[in-house]
Amino acid sequence: MAKRRKEYADDDGRTIANMNVEGMPWYAPNTPQSERAKAESAKESALELTRTEKRALTAGTLKAALLVWLIGVGIFGLFILFCYFVWFR
C-alpha cells in the first residue's frame, strides 16, 4: 500500500526551493523543471555588467579583503605588543 502525502490547506503546489541537488542521495537528473524556473535561471545566467559596474565590483571586493587583512595584521601586532610588554616581563 502506497504512503499518502499529507495535504495542507495553504499548499498551492509551487516549489520554493528545488532540493534536487547533484550529489545528494535523492538526486534525479532527468526531472523536468517548471517553465517559470527555467525562465528565472535563464534570466540569472544572462546578467551582463558594464565596465564601470565591473570596476566598482572589483574595487568593493578589494576593499573588503584589505579590511579583513588589516584587522588580522592589527590583532597580530597587538599580540606581539602584549607578549613584549606583559607576558615576557
Side-chain angles (χ1 to χ4, degrees):
M1 181 174 222
K3 189 175 182 181
R4 290 186 55 175
R5 290 184 158 209
K6 288 185 178 179
E7 292 189 23
Y8 298 98
D10 60 347
D11 185 15
D12 59 1
R14 291 182 293 171
T15 301
I16 304 300
N18 185 4
M19 300 305 289
N20 191 23
V21 180
E22 187 175 350
M24 294 295 193
W26 55 79
Y27 177 65
N30 297 326
T31 304
Q33 284 184 326
S34 69
E35 294 299 321
R36 186 179 195 181
K38 287 179 186 177
E40 287 178 2
S41 65
K43 185 169 59 171
E44 288 176 1
S45 64
L47 178 64
E48 292 292 325
L49 297 175
T50 64
R51 187 174 185 156
T52 56
E53 289 172 336
K54 288 179 186 177
R55 192 173 292 141
L57 181 66
T58 303
T61 304
L62 288 175
K63 286 178 187 176
L66 181 64
L67 177 65
V68 170
W69 185 80
L70 285 174
I71 289 172
V73 169
I75 290 172
F76 182 72
L78 289 173
F79 176 72
I80 296 297
L81 289 173
F82 171 76
C83 289
Y84 184 75
F85 287 112
V86 176
W87 198 356
F88 295 143
R89 286 274 167 175

